[in-house]
Amino acid sequence: MRMLAIELQKEKRTGVTGVLLAVGVLGAAYAFINFFVRRETLLALPLAPMDVLLTQLYGMIMVLNMFGIVVAACMIYEMEFKGNAIKRIHMLPVSVAGMYLCKFLILTMLFLLVVSFQNLALMRIGMNDLPKGSFEMKTLIIFAGYSFLTSMPVLSFMLLVSSRFENMWIPLGIGVSGFLSGMALATSDAELLLIHPFIIMLKPAVAMSAQPDYMILIVSLIETVIFLEIGLWMAEKLRYE
């Protein structure tokens, strides 16, 4: 708990907290503005009202979330590399793997807050603007959990990459490349492409139904655990030169 408290203080200084909270606010604002401007067009689509609310508004929110994760993951290790601080940590009675895990937990909790805030905005829209009786709270909660879990592979992957490169531009470039390649391949039905974490995060945005795909959900959980385990192993076994 002490290490987690220390990491929280460090992340306030890096600006990670502010970045992700800003993403949550921008995502919620986008949902309100987009639905207000396109209300008639969206409701005229040949989709169930809940599918319209969740799939048609989620696309841009997902892009904001993805770039928020990429930037936050890059920033969260920036302080550790300044002045070779990460090398000195190895000489202290501190678990580098424990520090890595704390950073993962902090990013996860902050991102959960972001998703919750954005879905509160979607709930408000659904309750007030969808046709009477068409709003389903259960569907919203399930989709919120689905979009959160399918984002975790990107979060765990970007944290892993960020922890291994001192130059922040390298993981940032990898994140942008992941986004662009994911956008190009997200509509493909090839199951092999699900090894790409960015494609997994994009899947709820390109679907026409708010119902979760359980295969994608299982793959996202497996990838999250794999990337986390690799990151913890590297933090514990590989020293920074």
Side-chain angles (χ1 to χ4, degrees), residues 163-224:
S163 70
R164 305 320 304 176
F165 293 99
E166 184 173 350
N167 187 336
M168 189 175 71
W169 291 104
I170 295 176
L172 186 61
I174 292 173
V176 173
S177 299
F179 166 73
L180 294 176
S181 59
M183 286 290 289
L185 300 170
T187 56
S188 173
D189 294 327
E191 295 179 355
L192 184 61
L193 292 177
L194 293 179
I195 62 174
H196 193 317
F198 288 84
I199 290 179
I200 290 179
M201 187 171 179
L202 284 159
K203 283 297 184 180
V206 299
M208 298 305 289
S209 171
Q211 296 302 313
D213 184 320
Y214 291 102
M215 179 181 175
I216 292 174
L217 195 57
I218 291 170
V219 173
S220 68
L221 292 172
I222 293 172
E223 287 194 9
T224 300

Side-chain angles (χ1 to χ4, degrees), residues 47-124:
L47 297 171
M50 285 302 295
D51 290 337
V52 170
L53 174 68
L54 299 177
T55 63
Q56 300 305 304
L57 296 183
Y58 179 66
M60 188 60 193
I61 292 175
M62 180 278 305
V63 172
L64 288 171
N65 290 350
M66 184 177 288
F67 278 104
I69 289 173
V70 170
V71 172
C74 291
M75 293 172 63
I76 204 167
Y77 258 95
E78 183 184 16
M79 180 178 287
E80 311 300 345
F81 288 118
K82 282 186 176 179
N84 293 322
I86 191 71
K87 298 176 184 178
R88 295 186 175 94
I89 290 176
H90 283 286
M91 304 175 66
L92 298 174
V94 175
S95 171
V96 180
M99 182 182 75
Y100 184 95
L101 181 60
C102 286
K103 290 182 183 297
F104 174 80
L105 293 175
I106 289 169
L107 283 178
T108 300
M109 292 300 104
L110 286 173
F111 186 65
L112 180 60
L113 185 63
V114 168
V115 172
S116 299
F117 193 73
Q118 292 168 346
N119 279 276
L120 283 174
L122 294 176
M123 180 183 73
R124 180 68 182 272

Side-chain angles (χ1 to χ4, degrees), residues 100 153 156-157 160 197 222-232:
Y100 184 95
S156 57
F157 171 74
L160 168 61
I222 293 172
E223 287 194 9
T224 300
V225 172
I226 290 174
F227 290 134
L228 177 59
E229 288 293 335
I230 293 173
L232 290 171

Side-chain angles (χ1 to χ4, degrees), residues 37 90 127 129 133 189 205:
V37 173
H90 283 286
M127 294 177 70
D129 297 301
D189 294 327

